[in-house]
Amino acid sequence: MPPKLMLLDEITSALDPELVAEVLNIVRELSEEGMTMLLATHEMSFAREASSRVCLLDQGVIREQGPPERIFSEPSDPRTKAFLNGSSRPAASERAAPGAPRRQFG
């Protein structure tokens, strides 16, 4: 029976580069065939290319979500900006104020 939804969690994390490309090609093909997938990945270029919607999760909190064009080109959350720029944390001036509301995942 064909699934209606596939959940994929870090499917390339322990693969060598040749296998990474092969697995991502399979996921790309499934997407082009219309398969709905929820994919957790650190492959940012693939997420940008293959996604219709992106969510950045940080410690169980959805920090930002939206179309990949906006998330990768014009992120609004300081944590998203820091992550995409390769920093571990946003600058102090960009951090959310203590007690600021956050959307909790779960």
Side-chain angles (χ1 to χ4, degrees), residues 3 5 9 13 27 29 43 49-50 56 65 67 74 78 88-89:
L5 170 71
D9 185 15
S13 65
V27 172
E29 288 173 14
E43 298 280 344
E49 167 203 338
L56 180 87
Q65 61 181 313
E74 301 174 27
S88 61
R89 300 299 299 162

Side-chain angles (χ1 to χ4, degrees), residues 5 7 12 16 33 46-47 49-50 52 56 68 72 76-77 82 87 92 97 106:
L5 170 71
L7 305 174
T12 60
D16 64 59
E33 292 172 4
F46 180 75
E49 167 203 338
S52 59
L56 180 87
F72 288 99
S76 59
D77 185 84
S87 305

Side-chain angles (χ1 to χ4, degrees), residues 1-19:
M1 182 181 328
K4 293 181 181 181
L5 170 71
M6 294 179 70
L7 305 174
L8 308 169
D9 185 15
E10 290 293 347
I11 58 174
T12 60
S13 65
L15 301 177
D16 64 59
E18 288 178 343
L19 287 176

Side-chain angles (χ1 to χ4, degrees), residues 41-100:
T41 187
H42 285 89
E43 298 280 344
M44 292 298 101
S45 60
F46 180 75
R48 183 178 196 158
E49 167 203 338
S51 299
S52 59
R53 183 162 195 79
V54 172
C55 295
L56 180 87
L57 291 145
D58 180 36
Q59 298 182 5
V61 175
I62 297 174
R63 303 293 281 186
E64 187 158 10
Q65 61 181 313
E69 309 82 51
R70 187 189 63 73
I71 298 295
F72 288 99
S73 299
E74 301 174 27
S76 59
D77 185 84
R79 181 64 184 111
T80 305
K81 290 177 187 176
F83 178 78
L84 294 174
N85 289 327
S87 305
S88 61
R89 300 299 299 162
S93 62
E94 294 182 327
R95 290 188 196 125

